[in-house]
Amino acid sequence: MPTLPTGIRGQLAAVVPAEIPSPSVGVWHLGPLPIRGYALCILLGIVVAVWLTQRRLAARGHRAGVAIDISAWAVPFGILGGRLYHLITTPQPYFGEGGNPWRAFAIYEGGLGIWGAIALGAVGALIGCRKNGVTFRDFADAAAPGIAIAQAMGRFGNWFNNEIYGSPTDLPWKLKIYEWDSGAGRAVVDAAGNPVVKGYFQPTFLYEALWCLVLAAVLLWLGRHRDLRPGQTFAAYVMGYPVGRIVIENLRTDEANRILGQRVNTWVSLLVFALGVWLWFRCARLARREADAGGPAPAADTRDGVDAGPADGGDPIRTAEPDASDDPADRDGGVDEPADPSVERSLDAAVERSERPRS
């Protein structure tokens, strides 16, 4: 393979960092109040997601502020679901030997499973949609790109906590990781007070963040350039995210429970992808069913003797009123029946007798 000349390599080395640094401190104190990098990233991601969702809902004709009202239900449910998923799939640090159950409440240390967050967050969103008169599929479609962006921003919370990295590497974009004290929210320091470097690893948190941003861009593009049925944008998110997650999951080296040699999240990603495929076709079938139930619009409305007129909004055309000079028999809609011959003969005889001269 061709290589760059030594001079160019030297210039690039002077400009491009040879590594991605990690913070040695993940929490700052404003008096007694701790400000945690992980929490800030999660909160900023939520703000961006709600803002983008509101813009997309407004474009669909929904009122201002409706995304905030629905998110007031979806976000707490999502955080609870994310934490429960993490506790179920990784129970050892909390309920295993030497574990501390109280740490189950320490969400600021990390540990929110996206699958649980989406699942329980959808329940909260459904409640919020019903209370605010928004169809769930409309909200889910509007929220999907924002969810992906929020995930990308949330992954930088893992960067602040020096977690979610892969195998050791010497790539130019290798990630510096410190020995970490999760309780203190900072790197372990040596006798001289310098943070202890654990090593250099694949920045899988960054890979996933970039994948989520790409996914968000694809979802926005699909919404503008493809005629999708209600719910299919969200279904595309449900299909798309696991594709990248499966690859990235197999690059990670942090401790994880396994089934048949594969990490639990890999199996869940496969199931979620299948769910996304089912949702895609399900939404298409629902759209066809709803269209069939509505039926074709009538060409004209002739109720009360008024034609609705042309579709372009022209003046209505009045139906013809009956002419008062018409024969009532004609107006009654019948065809004149032939007269009875015997009656005609009796009339003729009467007329003839009346015309004879009297004696």
Side-chain angles (χ1 to χ4, degrees):
M1 295 179 61
T3 59
L4 293 173
T6 304
I8 296 179
R9 282 188 296 170
Q11 292 175 3
L12 286 175
V15 176
V16 179
E19 65 187 43
I20 299 174
S22 289
S24 59
V25 177
V27 57
W28 304 269
H29 292 272
L30 294 179
L33 179 66
I35 306 298
R36 300 182 182 276
Y38 183 87
L40 283 177
C41 291
I42 297 295
L43 291 174
L44 287 175
I46 291 171
V47 169
V48 171
V50 173
W51 170 80
L52 181 57
T53 301
Q54 177 59 55
R55 291 198 59 177
R56 288 168 60 79
L57 284 173
R60 289 165 165 79
H62 294 287
R63 65 174 175 81
V66 69
I68 297 175
D69 294 338
I70 297 173
S71 298
W73 289 91
V75 171
F77 273 70
I79 293 174
L80 177 60
R83 189 58 171 177
L84 287 175
Y85 178 88
H86 174 72
L87 295 176
I88 291 170
T89 57
T90 313
Q92 291 86 351
Y94 313 98
F95 310 110
E97 185 178 354
N100 182 359
W102 289 108
R103 288 184 59 203
F105 299 97
I107 298 178
Y108 53 82
E109 293 183 0
L112 291 175
I114 185 60
W115 309 124
I118 295 298
L120 210 53
V123 174
L126 181 60
I127 297 172
C129 286
R130 289 182 174 178
K131 288 182 174 293
N132 289 277
V134 178
T135 60
F136 178 74
R137 281 179 288 167
D138 265 0
F139 178 79
D141 282 344
I147 292 173
I149 294 173
Q151 286 179 248
M153 298 178 70
R155 279 308 180 199
F156 281 89
N158 301 129
W159 178 62
F160 275 103
N161 282 356
N162 279 238
E163 60 187 3
I164 312 299
Y165 50 84
S167 58
T169 183
D170 59 355
L171 291 169
W173 55 85
K174 60 182 178 289
L175 175 68
K176 178 191 287 186
I177 292 292
Y178 296 106
E179 294 283 356
W180 197 254
D181 182 347
S182 58
R186 60 182 303 128
V188 176
V189 296
D190 58 19
N194 299 315
V196 178
V197 177
K198 183 175 183 177
Y200 296 88
F201 304 89
Q202 291 268 11
T204 52
F205 89 91
L206 181 60
Y207 298 160
E208 185 168 340
L210 293 174
W211 173 250
C212 288
L213 292 177
V214 169
L215 178 60
V218 170
L219 295 176
L220 291 171
W221 183 88
L222 283 174
R224 293 173 181 172
H225 296 86
R226 291 292 182 270
D227 185 21
L228 301 181
R229 305 279 77 82
Q232 285 190 323
T233 300
F234 182 72
Y237 160 78
V238 176
M239 285 188 290
Y241 175 69
V243 173
R245 181 62 183 264
I246 290 170
V247 175
I248 296 166
E249 194 71 24
N250 285 279
L251 294 175
R252 290 171 55 171
T253 56
D254 51 310
E255 290 295 326
N257 294 319
R258 296 175 180 268
I259 299 175
L260 299 177
Q262 293 294 323
R263 296 164 69 98
V264 169
N265 280 329
T266 300
W267 291 109
V268 176
S269 296
L270 291 170
L271 293 175
V272 171
F273 176 81
L275 174 63
V277 173
W278 179 82
L279 284 174
W280 178 274
F281 290 104
R282 173 66 174 170
C283 291
R285 286 195 299 271
L286 284 175
R288 287 195 298 268
R289 186 181 305 169
E290 290 165 355
D292 293 342
D301 182 5
T302 55
R303 291 171 297 177
D304 299 327
V306 179
D307 192 322
D312 61 0
D315 293 335
I317 303 172
R318 294 282 176 178
T319 55
E321 297 290 343
D323 191 343
S325 64
D326 289 345
D327 189 347
D330 293 339
R331 292 200 304 270
D332 289 341
V335 177
D336 292 343
E337 296 182 359
D340 188 341
S342 62
V343 174
E344 291 183 356
R345 285 195 297 270
S346 299
L347 289 173
D348 290 342
V351 171
E352 183 179 354
R353 284 195 300 272
S354 66
E355 292 177 350
R356 291 176 184 173
R358 297 179 180 228
S359 58

